[in-house]
Amino acid sequence: MCVPDRALVRVQDLTPEKADQLIWLRARIHTSRAKGKQCFLVLRQQQFNVQALVAVGDCASKQMVKFAANITKESIVDVEALVRKVEQKIESCSQQDVELHIERIFVISQAEPRLPLQLDDAVRPDGEGEEEGRATVNQDTKLDNRVIDLRTTTSQAIFRLQSGVCQLFRDTLTKKGFVEIQTPKIISAASEGGANVFTVSYFKTSAYLAQSPQLYKQMCICADFDKVFCVGPGKKSSHHVLPPCAAFTLVRSLRCFQTEIQTVNKQFPSEPFKFLEPTLRLEYTEAVAMLREAGVEMGDEDDLSTPNEKLLGRLVKEKYDTDFYVLDKYPLAVRPFYTMPDPNNPKYSNSYDMFMRGEEILSGAQRIHNAQLLTERAIHHQIDLEKIKAYIDSFRYGAPPHGGGGIGLERVCMLYLGLHNVRQTSMFPRDPKRLTP
Amino acid sequence: MSMYQVKPICGGDIKIDLPTCMYKLANIHAQQGTGCNPEHALQDHGALRDIVVNANPAHPPLTLLVLHSLLSQRYRVLSTVHVHSSVAGVPPQLLSCLGPRHADSYARQMFQLGFTLIWKDVPKVEMKFSIQNMCPIKGEANVARFLFKLLAPYPSDPALATLVDSWVDTAFFQLLDGSAKERAAVLRALNSALGRNPWLAGPDVSLADITCYCCVLQSGSVSSAPANVQRWLKSCENLGYFGPAKLLLQ
C-alpha cells in the first residue's frame, strides 16, 4: 500500500494555530496578481479562501514568480507553503488571520484561459450589478456552464442545505419507523392521467417513465410494510400518514444551517422563515371565506388557482404570521379519483396541501383502500378501468386504511431560502427547453 | 330647561332634483347598529371564524384567558395554542392554558368561533380577526373590550359605560403597569368605590370587575388590599370565572 507523500491541509483549517508550520494544500487559483518581485494569489476551496504570496528569495526565483502570476484562474494547484500570522486582518478572505508564503507550487490541472463566466460576477446580487455597473451573470449562462456556476459560495450553500434537507427527511422518517423502498421508474400504463407522460421504447414495445411512485408505495402498504417512503428524482414521497409534524420537524431543524442560509441571503436577500408550533392547520372552507372576504369570487368546490394560492398565503401570513401551514379538507371534486371522501361530508375529502411562503410543497391525502369504492370513483372520473386493473387488484386481498403525500425537495429549498426560481435549487434542471448539461 | 323654539322656515318635504348620473352613498348615520357590533362578525359564513391573539409569554394576558373561558361557555369555541418561531420555548402551563383539546378539534367546521393563542415575541398583546375589515387590535385592554362585547353588550347608559372603560384602563395602566404609589392609589380608589356598591360599575358584574380582579391578582396586591376590596375579591371568586387565571399564577 502506498503512503501519500503529502498531507493536504484544508483552507478552512488555516488558523493562527498553524503559524510557522510548513504545509501542503490543494486548491483553485481564485485570483493571481503580480506586483514587481512578488505575486499575490488567492487560493480557494469551496466557500473558503486564503491569501498566498510568492516572492523572489531563497525558495523562489523571478521565473517562478512569473510562472505563478501566469497560472490561469480556476486551475487546481498544489502548494507547499509556510503559514504566517498577519498583523492586519485580510478582510477579503475567509481566512483573515493568516497568509501563505509559498515555497513550491505545482499546477495539477490547468484551466483554459477564457472562462465562460467569472465566479465573482455569478455571485453578485442583481441590484449591486446594476448600481455599480458591474457584470452579473444571467440564469441561462449559469445553467449552460453549471460546472463552474456550482463552484460559487451561493451554489455551494444551496446544495449543501439541500443535502441536509434530504438527510433530515430520511432521519425523521426512519426514526418514526418508516422503511425506505425503491420503486420501478418504468411502468406500463400512465398512472395519473395521460397528458404529460414521457414514453420510452421498451424491448419490442413502449413504456412510460413513472410520474410518481405512489402506486408502488400503496402496494407496499398492502404488503404489510406499514410505513414506507422513497426518495426519487425530483420528488420525495412517503406513505402511511405523513403528519404535519414530520414536515414541521424538518423546518425547525433547518435552523442548524444558519451559515448556509446567510450565505445565500448575501446574494438573494429574503425574509427569515417563520412558522408556528404545532403547525397551523386550516380547513378549505376557511380559505374560501378568507379569499371571498378579500374580493375573490369562487365557488365552494372550486380549486385554488396559483394566484389564489399566493393570495391566500399572504392572507394567512398577515393573520397568523407563519410561512408554513397545512390546508385540509379539499373539495372531492378537484382531487384525483383515488382520494378518500370525507365521511362527514360527501362534498369534501380527506386530502390536504402544505404551503411554504404561499406556494404548494406537498399534495397528500388518505387513499381509498376499498376496491369497490375505488372502482366507483374511477368510473365517476371516466377512467378506463382496464388501464388501472393492476392498481385496483392490489386492494382486493385485504388493504389497511392509509394515506400520504409527496414533497418536492427542490421546492422546499427554494421556498425556505426565499428564492424565486426552482432552477436555482435544481442542480442540473430539466425543462421543456433544457436537456443539458 | 326650555329654550326658545324657532318654527322651521322651509317645509321639510321640499323636492330637490338630484342628478341621477352620480354615485349614491347611503346615509352613514342611518346604519347605527350593524358595523361596529362584534356580534355581526359571528354571523355564520359556513366556515370557522378565527380570533388570533398574539401574546408575549413573559406577560400572559390573564383577562383574556378568563374571557376565553366565558366565551367557551356561550359558543362552540375551538381553542388552539401555538408557539411562534420568534420565541425559543415556553413553559408547559402556557401551552395548556386554554384547557384540554376538544375531542372534535379535527373538524374545524363544526365550531362557531376559533380562539387561536400564539405565544410570540411581541411588545403588546395583539388581536387579529377579520383582516379585510378590521385593523389589528393592540393592548390587552382593547382586546378584552372586543371579547367582552361578544358575550354581553356594554351598559346602554353612556355614563356607566364610560365608568367601565375607565376602570379597565385603570386596571392595566395604573394597577398592573404602574409604580407602587399608583397601585396603592388604585387600591384606595377601589376600596372607596366598593364601599358603596357590590360591583365596580352598576348593579351587575361588568368587564371592569373582571379586569380589575385579574390585575389585582397579577400585580401581587391581594394581601395588601383593603377590606372592601378583599370582600369584593371573594365575591368575584364565587362567580367561578377565574379558574384559568388562578391556575396560571400558581
Side-chain angles (χ1 to χ4, degrees), chain B residues 59-88:
Chain B
H59 310 287
L62 294 191
T63 312
L64 303 187
L65 298 180
V66 172
L67 289 170
H68 162 263
S69 95
L70 290 173
L71 276 171
S72 306
Q73 288 163 29
R74 166 96 186 261
Y75 301 101
R76 257 178 88 78
V77 177
L78 175 65
S79 320
T80 37
V81 180
H82 294 270
V83 177
H84 191 261
S85 50
S86 58
V87 169

PDB file of all heavy atoms in Angstrom, chain B residues 59-88:
ATOM      1  N   HIS B  59     -45.499  38.010  29.586  1.00  0.00           N
ATOM      2  CA  HIS B  59     -46.629  38.716  30.204  1.00  0.00           C
ATOM      3  C   HIS B  59     -47.936  38.053  29.789  1.00  0.00           C
ATOM      4  O   HIS B  59     -48.659  38.575  28.939  1.00  0.00           O
ATOM      5  CB  HIS B  59     -46.658  40.180  29.749  1.00  0.00           C
ATOM      6  CG  HIS B  59     -45.340  40.872  29.896  1.00  0.00           C
ATOM      7  ND1 HIS B  59     -44.840  41.249  31.119  1.00  0.00           N
ATOM      8  CD2 HIS B  59     -44.409  41.215  28.978  1.00  0.00           C
ATOM      9  CE1 HIS B  59     -43.663  41.810  30.939  1.00  0.00           C
ATOM     10  NE2 HIS B  59     -43.365  41.798  29.657  1.00  0.00           N
ATOM     11  N   PRO B  60     -48.275  36.895  30.364  1.00  0.00           N
ATOM     12  CA  PRO B  60     -49.502  36.207  29.951  1.00  0.00           C
ATOM     13  C   PRO B  60     -50.736  37.064  30.232  1.00  0.00           C
ATOM     14  O   PRO B  60     -50.854  37.648  31.302  1.00  0.00           O
ATOM     15  CB  PRO B  60     -49.520  34.951  30.834  1.00  0.00           C
ATOM     16  CG  PRO B  60     -48.156  34.821  31.403  1.00  0.00           C
ATOM     17  CD  PRO B  60     -47.552  36.170  31.421  1.00  0.00           C
ATOM     18  N   PRO B  61     -51.652  37.176  29.266  1.00  0.00           N
ATOM     19  CA  PRO B  61     -52.831  38.040  29.424  1.00  0.00           C
ATOM     20  C   PRO B  61     -53.948  37.319  30.178  1.00  0.00           C
ATOM     21  O   PRO B  61     -54.810  36.686  29.570  1.00  0.00           O
ATOM     22  CB  PRO B  61     -53.225  38.329  27.974  1.00  0.00           C
ATOM     23  CG  PRO B  61     -52.767  37.133  27.210  1.00  0.00           C
ATOM     24  CD  PRO B  61     -51.597  36.547  27.923  1.00  0.00           C
ATOM     25  N   LEU B  62     -53.941  37.434  31.499  1.00  0.00           N
ATOM     26  CA  LEU B  62     -54.907  36.685  32.317  1.00  0.00           C
ATOM     27  C   LEU B  62     -56.350  37.016  31.981  1.00  0.00           C
ATOM     28  O   LEU B  62     -57.212  36.144  31.926  1.00  0.00           O
ATOM     29  CB  LEU B  62     -54.672  36.972  33.799  1.00  0.00           C
ATOM     30  CG  LEU B  62     -53.364  36.488  34.398  1.00  0.00           C
ATOM     31  CD1 LEU B  62     -53.424  36.617  35.910  1.00  0.00           C
ATOM     32  CD2 LEU B  62     -53.092  35.047  34.029  1.00  0.00           C
ATOM     33  N   THR B  63     -56.624  38.321  31.782  1.00  0.00           N
ATOM     34  CA  THR B  63     -58.001  38.733  31.490  1.00  0.00           C
ATOM     35  C   THR B  63     -58.526  38.002  30.270  1.00  0.00           C
ATOM     36  O   THR B  63     -59.678  37.567  30.235  1.00  0.00           O
ATOM     37  CB  THR B  63     -58.060  40.248  31.227  1.00  0.00           C
ATOM     38  OG1 THR B  63     -57.349  40.911  32.247  1.00  0.00           O
ATOM     39  CG2 THR B  63     -59.489  40.731  31.166  1.00  0.00           C
ATOM     40  N   LEU B  64     -57.679  37.858  29.253  1.00  0.00           N
ATOM     41  CA  LEU B  64     -58.131  37.230  28.024  1.00  0.00           C
ATOM     42  C   LEU B  64     -58.392  35.743  28.238  1.00  0.00           C
ATOM     43  O   LEU B  64     -59.300  35.171  27.626  1.00  0.00           O
ATOM     44  CB  LEU B  64     -57.096  37.435  26.909  1.00  0.00           C
ATOM     45  CG  LEU B  64     -56.741  38.895  26.611  1.00  0.00           C
ATOM     46  CD1 LEU B  64     -55.857  38.982  25.384  1.00  0.00           C
ATOM     47  CD2 LEU B  64     -57.983  39.741  26.416  1.00  0.00           C
ATOM     48  N   LEU B  65     -57.618  35.115  29.134  1.00  0.00           N
ATOM     49  CA  LEU B  65     -57.872  33.703  29.416  1.00  0.00           C
ATOM     50  C   LEU B  65     -59.223  33.531  30.087  1.00  0.00           C
ATOM     51  O   LEU B  65     -59.973  32.596  29.800  1.00  0.00           O
ATOM     52  CB  LEU B  65     -56.766  33.134  30.314  1.00  0.00           C
ATOM     53  CG  LEU B  65     -55.361  33.150  29.723  1.00  0.00           C
ATOM     54  CD1 LEU B  65     -54.369  32.554  30.708  1.00  0.00           C
ATOM     55  CD2 LEU B  65     -55.311  32.390  28.418  1.00  0.00           C
ATOM     56  N   VAL B  66     -59.538  34.466  30.987  1.00  0.00           N
ATOM     57  CA  VAL B  66     -60.839  34.406  31.664  1.00  0.00           C
ATOM     58  C   VAL B  66     -61.956  34.605  30.645  1.00  0.00           C
ATOM     59  O   VAL B  66     -62.950  33.871  30.622  1.00  0.00           O
ATOM     60  CB  VAL B  66     -60.913  35.482  32.766  1.00  0.00           C
ATOM     61  CG1 VAL B  66     -62.307  35.567  33.336  1.00  0.00           C
ATOM     62  CG2 VAL B  66     -59.901  35.179  33.861  1.00  0.00           C
ATOM     63  N   LEU B  67     -61.784  35.604  29.790  1.00  0.00           N
ATOM     64  CA  LEU B  67     -62.822  35.881  28.784  1.00  0.00           C
ATOM     65  C   LEU B  67     -62.961  34.705  27.831  1.00  0.00           C
ATOM     66  O   LEU B  67     -64.064  34.384  27.379  1.00  0.00           O
ATOM     67  CB  LEU B  67     -62.476  37.172  28.026  1.00  0.00           C
ATOM     68  CG  LEU B  67     -62.632  38.438  28.872  1.00  0.00           C
ATOM     69  CD1 LEU B  67     -62.046  39.638  28.149  1.00  0.00           C
ATOM     70  CD2 LEU B  67     -64.103  38.687  29.187  1.00  0.00           C
ATOM     71  N   HIS B  68     -61.841  34.050  27.534  1.00  0.00           N
ATOM     72  CA  HIS B  68     -61.902  32.875  26.673  1.00  0.00           C
ATOM     73  C   HIS B  68     -62.776  31.796  27.291  1.00  0.00           C
ATOM     74  O   HIS B  68     -63.606  31.179  26.615  1.00  0.00           O
ATOM     75  CB  HIS B  68     -60.484  32.324  26.417  1.00  0.00           C
ATOM     76  CG  HIS B  68     -60.492  30.912  25.916  1.00  0.00           C
ATOM     77  ND1 HIS B  68     -60.318  29.811  26.741  1.00  0.00           N
ATOM     78  CD2 HIS B  68     -60.696  30.406  24.678  1.00  0.00           C
ATOM     79  CE1 HIS B  68     -60.395  28.706  26.035  1.00  0.00           C
ATOM     80  NE2 HIS B  68     -60.630  29.031  24.779  1.00  0.00           N
ATOM     81  N   SER B  69     -62.609  31.586  28.603  1.00  0.00           N
ATOM     82  CA  SER B  69     -63.396  30.506  29.198  1.00  0.00           C
ATOM     83  C   SER B  69     -64.879  30.894  29.240  1.00  0.00           C
ATOM     84  O   SER B  69     -65.752  30.047  29.062  1.00  0.00           O
ATOM     85  CB  SER B  69     -62.834  30.110  30.568  1.00  0.00           C
ATOM     86  OG  SER B  69     -63.475  30.767  31.591  1.00  0.00           O
ATOM     87  N   LEU B  70     -65.169  32.179  29.381  1.00  0.00           N
ATOM     88  CA  LEU B  70     -66.573  32.616  29.327  1.00  0.00           C
ATOM     89  C   LEU B  70     -67.135  32.437  27.918  1.00  0.00           C
ATOM     90  O   LEU B  70     -68.274  32.008  27.731  1.00  0.00           O
ATOM     91  CB  LEU B  70     -66.686  34.080  29.752  1.00  0.00           C
ATOM     92  CG  LEU B  70     -66.425  34.338  31.241  1.00  0.00           C
ATOM     93  CD1 LEU B  70     -66.382  35.823  31.529  1.00  0.00           C
ATOM     94  CD2 LEU B  70     -67.496  33.664  32.082  1.00  0.00           C
ATOM     95  N   LEU B  71     -66.313  32.758  26.914  1.00  0.00           N
ATOM     96  CA  LEU B  71     -66.746  32.588  25.524  1.00  0.00           C
ATOM     97  C   LEU B  71     -67.053  31.123  25.240  1.00  0.00           C
ATOM     98  O   LEU B  71     -68.001  30.795  24.531  1.00  0.00           O
ATOM     99  CB  LEU B  71     -65.645  33.059  24.562  1.00  0.00           C
ATOM    100  CG  LEU B  71     -65.580  34.546  24.239  1.00  0.00           C
ATOM    101  CD1 LEU B  71     -64.313  34.846  23.454  1.00  0.00           C
ATOM    102  CD2 LEU B  71     -66.798  34.976  23.452  1.00  0.00           C
ATOM    103  N   SER B  72     -66.209  30.240  25.816  1.00  0.00           N
ATOM    104  CA  SER B  72     -66.394  28.810  25.551  1.00  0.00           C
ATOM    105  C   SER B  72     -67.683  28.289  26.133  1.00  0.00           C
ATOM    106  O   SER B  72     -68.205  27.276  25.676  1.00  0.00           O
ATOM    107  CB  SER B  72     -65.233  28.003  26.134  1.00  0.00           C
ATOM    108  OG  SER B  72     -64.032  28.509  25.652  1.00  0.00           O
ATOM    109  N   GLN B  73     -68.199  28.982  27.164  1.00  0.00           N
ATOM    110  CA  GLN B  73     -69.475  28.537  27.734  1.00  0.00           C
ATOM    111  C   GLN B  73     -70.635  29.019  26.882  1.00  0.00           C
ATOM    112  O   GLN B  73     -71.677  28.391  26.830  1.00  0.00           O
ATOM    113  CB  GLN B  73     -69.631  29.077  29.159  1.00  0.00           C
ATOM    114  CG  GLN B  73     -68.697  28.389  30.142  1.00  0.00           C
ATOM    115  CD  GLN B  73     -68.544  29.186  31.424  1.00  0.00           C
ATOM    116  OE1 GLN B  73     -69.470  29.905  31.825  1.00  0.00           O
ATOM    117  NE2 GLN B  73     -67.400  29.083  32.046  1.00  0.00           N
ATOM    118  N   ARG B  74     -70.420  30.131  26.194  1.00  0.00           N
ATOM    119  CA  ARG B  74     -71.514  30.725  25.430  1.00  0.00           C
ATOM    120  C   ARG B  74     -71.569  30.193  23.994  1.00  0.00           C
ATOM    121  O   ARG B  74     -72.630  30.024  23.414  1.00  0.00           O
ATOM    122  CB  ARG B  74     -71.299  32.242  25.448  1.00  0.00           C
ATOM    123  CG  ARG B  74     -72.105  33.020  24.480  1.00  0.00           C
ATOM    124  CD  ARG B  74     -73.378  33.597  25.095  1.00  0.00           C
ATOM    125  NE  ARG B  74     -74.167  34.217  24.047  1.00  0.00           N
ATOM    126  CZ  ARG B  74     -74.186  35.517  23.795  1.00  0.00           C
ATOM    127  NH1 ARG B  74     -73.488  36.335  24.552  1.00  0.00           N
ATOM    128  NH2 ARG B  74     -74.898  35.988  22.804  1.00  0.00           N
ATOM    129  N   TYR B  75     -70.398  29.967  23.383  1.00  0.00           N
ATOM    130  CA  TYR B  75     -70.342  29.500  21.991  1.00  0.00           C
ATOM    131  C   TYR B  75     -69.579  28.205  21.920  1.00  0.00           C
ATOM    132  O   TYR B  75     -68.909  27.813  22.864  1.00  0.00           O
ATOM    133  CB  TYR B  75     -69.592  30.526  21.118  1.00  0.00           C
ATOM    134  CG  TYR B  75     -70.184  31.898  21.099  1.00  0.00           C
ATOM    135  CD1 TYR B  75     -69.640  32.908  21.872  1.00  0.00           C
ATOM    136  CD2 TYR B  75     -71.278  32.193  20.293  1.00  0.00           C
ATOM    137  CE1 TYR B  75     -70.172  34.185  21.858  1.00  0.00           C
ATOM    138  CE2 TYR B  75     -71.815  33.464  20.278  1.00  0.00           C
ATOM    139  CZ  TYR B  75     -71.261  34.454  21.063  1.00  0.00           C
ATOM    140  OH  TYR B  75     -71.789  35.718  21.043  1.00  0.00           O
ATOM    141  N   ARG B  76     -69.653  27.546  20.741  1.00  0.00           N
ATOM    142  CA  ARG B  76     -68.783  26.393  20.498  1.00  0.00           C
ATOM    143  C   ARG B  76     -67.439  26.955  20.005  1.00  0.00           C
ATOM    144  O   ARG B  76     -67.340  27.416  18.874  1.00  0.00           O
ATOM    145  CB  ARG B  76     -69.396  25.501  19.413  1.00  0.00           C
ATOM    146  CG  ARG B  76     -70.067  24.257  19.945  1.00  0.00           C
ATOM    147  CD  ARG B  76     -70.694  23.468  18.809  1.00  0.00           C
ATOM    148  NE  ARG B  76     -69.791  22.524  18.177  1.00  0.00           N
ATOM    149  CZ  ARG B  76     -69.449  21.345  18.659  1.00  0.00           C
ATOM    150  NH1 ARG B  76     -69.920  20.939  19.818  1.00  0.00           N
ATOM    151  NH2 ARG B  76     -68.628  20.538  18.001  1.00  0.00           N
ATOM    152  N   VAL B  77     -66.461  26.927  20.887  1.00  0.00           N
ATOM    153  CA  VAL B  77     -65.179  27.561  20.562  1.00  0.00           C
ATOM    154  C   VAL B  77     -64.101  26.507  20.363  1.00  0.00           C
ATOM    155  O   VAL B  77     -63.948  25.606  21.181  1.00  0.00           O
ATOM    156  CB  VAL B  77     -64.734  28.510  21.712  1.00  0.00           C
ATOM    157  CG1 VAL B  77     -63.371  29.112  21.407  1.00  0.00           C
ATOM    158  CG2 VAL B  77     -65.767  29.604  21.917  1.00  0.00           C
ATOM    159  N   LEU B  78     -63.369  26.634  19.278  1.00  0.00           N
ATOM    160  CA  LEU B  78     -62.221  25.751  19.055  1.00  0.00           C
ATOM    161  C   LEU B  78     -60.975  26.501  19.503  1.00  0.00           C
ATOM    162  O   LEU B  78     -60.620  27.518  18.919  1.00  0.00           O
ATOM    163  CB  LEU B  78     -62.111  25.396  17.565  1.00  0.00           C
ATOM    164  CG  LEU B  78     -60.875  24.574  17.199  1.00  0.00           C
ATOM    165  CD1 LEU B  78     -60.910  23.209  17.851  1.00  0.00           C
ATOM    166  CD2 LEU B  78     -60.769  24.400  15.689  1.00  0.00           C
ATOM    167  N   SER B  79     -60.348  25.997  20.558  1.00  0.00           N
ATOM    168  CA  SER B  79     -59.186  26.704  21.103  1.00  0.00           C
ATOM    169  C   SER B  79     -57.901  25.994  20.740  1.00  0.00           C
ATOM    170  O   SER B  79     -57.800  24.789  20.903  1.00  0.00           O
ATOM    171  CB  SER B  79     -59.281  26.746  22.635  1.00  0.00           C
ATOM    172  OG  SER B  79     -60.602  26.984  23.022  1.00  0.00           O
ATOM    173  N   THR B  80     -56.927  26.748  20.242  1.00  0.00           N
ATOM    174  CA  THR B  80     -55.614  26.143  19.988  1.00  0.00           C
ATOM    175  C   THR B  80     -54.528  27.092  20.493  1.00  0.00           C
ATOM    176  O   THR B  80     -54.705  28.305  20.482  1.00  0.00           O
ATOM    177  CB  THR B  80     -55.354  25.886  18.489  1.00  0.00           C
ATOM    178  OG1 THR B  80     -55.913  26.948  17.735  1.00  0.00           O
ATOM    179  CG2 THR B  80     -55.946  24.591  18.018  1.00  0.00           C
ATOM    180  N   VAL B  81     -53.425  26.507  20.899  1.00  0.00           N
ATOM    181  CA  VAL B  81     -52.264  27.285  21.344  1.00  0.00           C
ATOM    182  C   VAL B  81     -51.086  26.940  20.447  1.00  0.00           C
ATOM    183  O   VAL B  81     -50.825  25.772  20.181  1.00  0.00           O
ATOM    184  CB  VAL B  81     -51.894  26.959  22.802  1.00  0.00           C
ATOM    185  CG1 VAL B  81     -50.690  27.788  23.242  1.00  0.00           C
ATOM    186  CG2 VAL B  81     -53.066  27.215  23.727  1.00  0.00           C
ATOM    187  N   HIS B  82     -50.391  27.966  19.953  1.00  0.00           N
ATOM    188  CA  HIS B  82     -49.197  27.755  19.136  1.00  0.00           C
ATOM    189  C   HIS B  82     -48.051  28.550  19.735  1.00  0.00           C
ATOM    190  O   HIS B  82     -48.265  29.530  20.431  1.00  0.00           O
ATOM    191  CB  HIS B  82     -49.406  28.278  17.708  1.00  0.00           C
ATOM    192  CG  HIS B  82     -50.440  27.544  16.921  1.00  0.00           C
ATOM    193  ND1 HIS B  82     -50.148  26.447  16.150  1.00  0.00           N
ATOM    194  CD2 HIS B  82     -51.764  27.765  16.770  1.00  0.00           C
ATOM    195  CE1 HIS B  82     -51.249  26.028  15.559  1.00  0.00           C
ATOM    196  NE2 HIS B  82     -52.244  26.802  15.907  1.00  0.00           N
ATOM    197  N   VAL B  83     -46.826  28.136  19.392  1.00  0.00           N
ATOM    198  CA  VAL B  83     -45.643  28.928  19.751  1.00  0.00           C
ATOM    199  C   VAL B  83     -45.024  29.415  18.451  1.00  0.00           C
ATOM    200  O   VAL B  83     -44.775  28.625  17.541  1.00  0.00           O
ATOM    201  CB  VAL B  83     -44.617  28.086  20.536  1.00  0.00           C
ATOM    202  CG1 VAL B  83     -43.365  28.904  20.840  1.00  0.00           C
ATOM    203  CG2 VAL B  83     -45.231  27.590  21.836  1.00  0.00           C
ATOM    204  N   HIS B  84     -44.808  30.710  18.338  1.00  0.00           N
ATOM    205  CA  HIS B  84     -44.246  31.286  17.113  1.00  0.00           C
ATOM    206  C   HIS B  84     -42.740  31.059  17.073  1.00  0.00           C
ATOM    207  O   HIS B  84     -42.091  30.943  18.117  1.00  0.00           O
ATOM    208  CB  HIS B  84     -44.554  32.785  17.092  1.00  0.00           C
ATOM    209  CG  HIS B  84     -44.278  33.441  15.792  1.00  0.00           C
ATOM    210  ND1 HIS B  84     -43.122  34.148  15.559  1.00  0.00           N
ATOM    211  CD2 HIS B  84     -44.986  33.477  14.635  1.00  0.00           C
ATOM    212  CE1 HIS B  84     -43.149  34.617  14.318  1.00  0.00           C
ATOM    213  NE2 HIS B  84     -44.266  34.222  13.748  1.00  0.00           N
ATOM    214  N   SER B  85     -42.175  31.035  15.858  1.00  0.00           N
ATOM    215  CA  SER B  85     -40.743  30.778  15.727  1.00  0.00           C
ATOM    216  C   SER B  85     -39.882  31.891  16.313  1.00  0.00           C
ATOM    217  O   SER B  85     -38.677  31.726  16.474  1.00  0.00           O
ATOM    218  CB  SER B  85     -40.367  30.572  14.251  1.00  0.00           C
ATOM    219  OG  SER B  85     -40.896  31.611  13.457  1.00  0.00           O
ATOM    220  N   SER B  86     -40.487  33.038  16.663  1.00  0.00           N
ATOM    221  CA  SER B  86     -39.694  34.118  17.259  1.00  0.00           C
ATOM    222  C   SER B  86     -39.407  33.854  18.731  1.00  0.00           C
ATOM    223  O   SER B  86     -38.644  34.581  19.357  1.00  0.00           O
ATOM    224  CB  SER B  86     -40.440  35.444  17.132  1.00  0.00           C
ATOM    225  OG  SER B  86     -41.703  35.344  17.769  1.00  0.00           O
ATOM    226  N   VAL B  87     -40.025  32.815  19.297  1.00  0.00           N
ATOM    227  CA  VAL B  87     -39.860  32.502  20.715  1.00  0.00           C
ATOM    228  C   VAL B  87     -39.184  31.148  20.832  1.00  0.00           C
ATOM    229  O   VAL B  87     -39.567  30.202  20.157  1.00  0.00           O
ATOM    230  CB  VAL B  87     -41.247  32.446  21.404  1.00  0.00           C
ATOM    231  CG1 VAL B  87     -41.118  31.859  22.793  1.00  0.00           C
ATOM    232  CG2 VAL B  87     -41.864  33.817  21.471  1.00  0.00           C
ATOM    233  N   ALA B  88     -38.176  31.071  21.712  1.00  0.00           N
ATOM    234  CA  ALA B  88     -37.405  29.823  21.789  1.00  0.00           C
ATOM    235  C   ALA B  88     -38.196  28.698  22.442  1.00  0.00           C
ATOM    236  O   ALA B  88     -38.253  27.604  21.923  1.00  0.00           O
ATOM    237  CB  ALA B  88     -36.110  30.061  22.561  1.00  0.00           C
TER     238      ALA B  88
END
